[in-house]
Amino acid sequence: MTTETALQTAGTPAFYVTEEEHPHSSTLLGFWIYIMSDTLIFAVLFATFGVLRDRYAGGPTPQEVLEIPTVALNTAMLLISSITCGFAMLEMVRNRKAATLFWLLVTGLFGAAFVGLELREFFGLVAEGAGPQRSAYLSAFFTLVGTHGTHVTIGIIWLITLMVQIARKGLIHENTRRLMCFSMFWHFLDVIWIGVFSVVYLLGVL
Amino acid sequence: MSSDAHATHAADGHHALADAPHGTLKGYLTGFGLAVVLTVIPFWLVMGNVLDNAVATGILIMVFAIVQIVVHMIYFLHLDAHSEGGWNMLALIFTVVLVVIGIVGSLWVMYHLDLNMMPGMMTGHPG
C-alpha cells in the first residue's frame, strides 16, 4: 500500500540527469577541445621563449628593439575587436542580420589593424638586423608572436568567409553555429595575447 | 518534462543558440571595463617606471595577466561549471594542468641545467 503510493508520486524513475549531460550540439564542445589543444601549442612556444629569453648571442636586447607604445596600441586594437565581436554575437541572438554584419566588419577592421601594426614591427626588426636568425631570443620571439599573428590572420579570413555566408544565406542555424565557434576562437586569441604582451613585451623591457 | 523540452527545442530550430551561453550587453561591458583596467595598470607600471623594484613589477604584471585571463574566460568566453554539461571546465582544468607542468617544468629544468653546466662546456656561450 505505502510502496504503491510512493511509486505513484515518484512517477517514472529517471536514472540519468536530463539537463546536465548530452549537450544538443556537440560542435561547440568539439571546438572548445580544439581551442584547448591550440592552447597547448602556445604553451610549448611560451616555454621555449621562457628558456631562451635571455640568449641574445651578443645581439640586440628587448630593451633595444621592443617599442612598448606600439604594443599598447596593438593591445587596444585586439581588445576592442574582442568586444565588437561580442556585440556581433548579441545582434546575432536578436536575429538582426545587418547589425551582426556591421559589428563583424568592425571586428575584422580592428583585427586587420592589429596584424598591420605587428607586420610593421616585424619588418622594422628585420630591417635593423634583428630578424629571427640573429639570436635564440629573436627566434623564440618571432615564433611565438608570429604564431599568434598567423592565428589572427586566419581568423580574419574565416571572418570574411562567414560574412559572405551570412550576407547570402542569412542567420540560419548553420551560420549561427559557425559564428559561435568564431567568437570563441577570437576571444581565445585575445586571451593568448594577454600572455604575449605580459611575458614577451612588458617583462622583456623590465 | 524532458519530452516537452525536446519538443520546444526541435520547434524553434535554434536549439544550439538557445542552449549556448551568449552573454548580455552588461556582461560584455563589465568584462571590457575590467580588461581595460587590468591592461592599463601593467603598461603604466612599465612605461611610467613606477616601481624601482623590477622583480616586484614583474610579479605584479603576471598577477594582472592571470586575473585578466580569468576575466576574459568568464565575461567573453562565458565559461562556468555548467557549460556543455561541465565538459568545457573539465577540458580547461586538464589543459591548465598540462600548461603549468610544461612551462614551469621547462623553466625549472633548463635553469638547473644552466647552473650545473661547466663554463666552456657550452659552445657559443662565452662564460
Side-chain angles (χ1 to χ4, degrees):
Chain A
M1 199 57 181
T2 43
T3 44
E4 234 172 71
T5 37
L7 272 177
Q8 273 166 3
T9 44
T12 337
F15 297 107
Y16 52 91
V17 187
T18 45
E19 295 301 319
E20 292 289 325
E21 303 292 331
H22 304 295
H24 298 287
S25 164
S26 56
T27 307
L28 293 178
L29 176 59
F31 198 78
W32 180 254
I33 289 172
Y34 153 69
I35 283 180
M36 290 298 101
S37 62
D38 220 0
T39 307
L40 293 181
I41 292 180
F42 280 106
V44 171
L45 295 178
F46 271 109
T48 311
F49 181 84
V51 170
L52 299 175
R53 64 189 295 257
D54 52 0
R55 301 291 194 276
Y56 307 131
T61 61
Q63 287 92 342
E64 290 163 10
V65 289
L66 299 185
E67 290 172 18
I68 294 300
T70 313
V71 180
L73 188 61
N74 237 347
T75 306
M77 293 297 135
L78 207 58
L79 189 57
I80 293 171
S81 85
S82 222
I83 183 123
T84 57
C85 177
F87 291 159
M89 297 303 291
L90 292 175
E91 295 297 345
M92 177 201 84
V93 173
R94 287 194 212 140
N95 208 14
R96 284 158 57 168
K97 180 177 156 186
T100 308
L101 281 172
F102 169 75
W103 285 116
L104 287 179
L105 178 69
V106 175
T107 305
L109 290 177
F110 277 106
F114 173 87
V115 174
L117 282 168
E118 191 164 291
L119 280 178
R120 204 186 62 138
E121 183 196 19
F122 279 10
F123 280 120
L125 285 174
V126 172
E128 60 186 86
Q133 71 275 39
R134 181 60 191 85
S135 64
Y137 158 68
L138 284 165
S139 303
F141 169 86
F142 274 93
T143 311
L144 174 56
V145 183
T147 304
H148 178 270
T150 310
H151 274 76
V152 178
T153 310
I154 292 170
I156 293 171
I157 296 170
W158 185 10
L159 177 66
I160 293 168
T161 60
L162 265 181
M163 285 175 67
V164 172
Q165 285 189 325
I166 292 168
R168 292 179 61 166
K169 302 246 170 89
L171 289 169
I172 55 173
H173 171 62
E174 285 79 3
N175 280 343
T176 57
R177 192 188 62 217
R178 288 165 190 151
L179 259 182
M180 281 191 287
C181 288
F182 170 79
S183 147
M184 241 194 267
F185 183 69
W186 199 255
H187 291 312
F188 156 73
L189 291 183
D190 206 6
V191 171
I192 297 294
W193 182 252
I194 298 170
V196 174
F197 81 70
S198 300
V199 173
V200 177
Y201 290 95
L202 293 183
L203 289 188
V205 298
L206 266 187
Chain B
M1 180 77 182
S2 68
S3 61
D4 276 357
H6 279 293
T8 46
H9 278 311
D12 65 7
H14 278 265
H15 50 87
L17 209 130
D19 284 350
H22 33 65
T24 56
L25 181 63
K26 191 165 164 261
Y28 276 111
L29 291 178
T30 311
F32 184 71
L34 286 172
V36 168
V37 171
L38 292 167
T39 303
V40 167
I41 293 174
F43 271 96
W44 170 69
L45 285 176
V46 171
M47 291 169 87
N49 232 337
V50 182
L51 302 174
D52 285 332
N53 191 343
V55 176
T57 311
I59 292 169
L60 273 178
I61 290 171
M62 289 319 291
V63 169
F64 278 111
I66 290 166
V67 173
Q68 192 179 174
I69 287 174
V70 174
V71 165
H72 277 242
M73 290 275 176
I74 294 170
Y75 290 101
F76 291 163
L77 287 162
H78 316 300
L79 200 74
D80 59 37
H82 303 294
S83 54
E84 299 289 343
W87 288 108
N88 275 356
M89 187 57 89
L90 203 64
L92 177 69
I93 292 169
F94 178 62
T95 309
V96 168
V97 169
L98 287 183
V99 167
V100 169
I101 292 174
I103 293 180
V104 174
S106 299
L107 294 177
W108 187 22
V109 168
M110 295 309 286
Y111 177 73
H112 282 273
L113 201 61
D114 266 6
L115 284 190
N116 296 327
M117 268 301 194
M118 294 281 288
M121 273 173 73
M122 287 155 81
T123 47
H125 192 85

